[in-house]
Amino acid sequence: MTAVTVVQCCAPITREPLSEPEASELATLLKAVADPVRLRLLSMIGSHAGGEACVCDLTGAFDLTAPTISHHLKILRTAGLIDGERRGTWVYYRIIPQTVNKLGALFAPLGAAAPAAGGPAPDTSPLRT
Amino acid sequence: MTAVTVVQCCAPITREPLSEPEASELATLLKAVADPVRLRLLSMIGSHAGGEACVCDLTGAFDLTAPTISHHLKILRTAGLIDGERRGTWVYYRIIPQTVNKLGALFAPLGAAAPAAGGPAPDTSPLRT
DNA sequence: CTATCATTTAGACGATTGTCGAATCAGGAG
DNA sequence: CTCCTGATTCGACAATCGTCTAAATGATAG
């Protein structure tokens, strides 16, 4: 699972018209992040110390039941935005930056140097602890 | 003179946890683009010669009725992603780059310095159809 | 006035979504 | 082994969404 296909999928959206398949694929990815809970989950995981967060830390921040949180995490996982790993009793999630960068490239201004996705990337993980 | 004030709404999503209001506002914006039709509309408008596209050009690219296209355009307009202007018989839409840049900044890699919104754009479009 | 382009409104329909409760799975602790 | 806790899966529910048809409205050209 979590097939990280680093495709050159996304020129900026203002560069050329998207084909139907491209648009459908990107819409699926965007639907995954177009939710307040999932957006917060993503940012909580991505900004957590060590680059990963335990589910037990996430659930407390919401007024939602555990199954609901699991549901949102699964959607993020299926979209290829996060990846989970079980260590002992707890499950830890971490961001898959390639997928997030796809979105960044899609909405990047035309003049941007697009530092990610197959280009002459100067640095992929600026913060690694 | 492109004296543009950069809308500094969003630190990258991996920088710090989003607050609930921030997440809700961004989710609303993301929902507007999380649809294949609207994604294609946005890219068709943004990549069209002159920076704007007539509705009459857009409708032909879809197997949808005119009210449905109008509906999607309205959602994009309400989200602040596009702006429409009537000239004679036809209505022309153009992208509002500040809003698109918000999304670009949200998913930008941490090391990337967001370039000025619409800054290096030399266009001042020659208004062609 | 008539014709055309685009939007709006209203209602309707199936599909998708977000949430919950209950059941289930996966590992420690005793 | 049996319990307990963390996390997921399953089944159901109301709410929202995308699309259509049909009709009405506004704006403009001829």
Side-chain angles (χ1 to χ4, degrees):
Chain A
M1 35 304 240
T2 68
V4 183
T5 40
V6 183
V7 285
Q8 71 293 355
C9 85
C10 335
I13 203 175
T14 53
R15 184 169 185 82
E16 58 186 346
L18 287 167
S19 70
E20 241 173 346
E22 282 173 334
S24 290
E25 183 189 332
L26 286 169
T28 303
L29 182 56
L30 283 166
K31 276 184 207 297
V33 289
D35 179 273
V37 175
R38 294 196 287 272
L39 222 39
R40 289 181 63 203
L41 283 172
L42 206 58
S43 75
M44 289 172 70
I45 294 170
S47 64
H48 199 269
E52 55 186 15
C54 171
V55 175
C56 56
D57 289 330
L58 303 174
T59 45
F62 300 90
D63 233 6
L64 300 172
T65 63
T68 301
I69 298 293
S70 256
H71 167 70
H72 286 301
L73 287 173
K74 180 175 191 165
I75 289 180
L76 291 173
R77 207 178 339 129
T78 303
L81 284 159
I82 60 175
D83 191 21
E85 179 193 356
R86 173 168 221 122
R87 280 206 301 277
T89 305
W90 295 281
V91 175
Y92 294 87
Y93 279 97
R94 103 179 65 82
I95 290 243
I96 300 181
Q98 285 83 7
T99 310
V100 178
N101 288 342
K102 277 214 269 189
L103 295 177
L106 182 66
F107 297 112
L110 269 187
D123 188 3
T124 315
S125 59
L127 178 61
R128 184 182 174 88
T129 52
Chain B
M1 278 310 289
T2 69
V4 177
T5 51
V6 177
V7 180
Q8 181 64 19
C9 86
C10 333
I13 202 175
T14 54
R15 185 171 184 81
E16 58 185 346
L18 287 167
S19 71
E20 240 171 347
E22 283 173 334
S24 289
E25 184 188 333
L26 287 169
T28 302
L29 183 56
L30 283 166
K31 276 186 208 294
V33 288
D35 179 273
V37 174
R38 294 196 289 271
L39 220 40
R40 289 181 63 202
L41 282 172
L42 205 59
S43 75
M44 288 172 71
I45 294 170
S47 64
H48 200 268
E52 55 186 16
C54 171
V55 176
C56 56
D57 289 330
L58 303 174
T59 44
F62 299 90
D63 233 6
L64 301 173
T65 63
T68 300
I69 297 291
S70 260
H71 166 69
H72 286 300
L73 287 172
K74 180 175 191 165
I75 289 179
L76 291 174
R77 207 177 341 126
T78 303
L81 284 159
I82 60 175
D83 190 22
E85 180 194 356
R86 170 167 226 122
R87 280 205 302 279
T89 305
W90 294 281
V91 175
Y92 294 86
Y93 278 97
R94 102 180 63 83
I95 290 241
I96 301 180
Q98 285 82 8
T99 310
V100 178
N101 289 146
K102 279 214 266 188
L103 296 178
L106 183 66
F107 297 112
L110 270 186
D123 53 354
T124 318
S125 48
L127 187 56
R128 303 180 58 105
T129 56

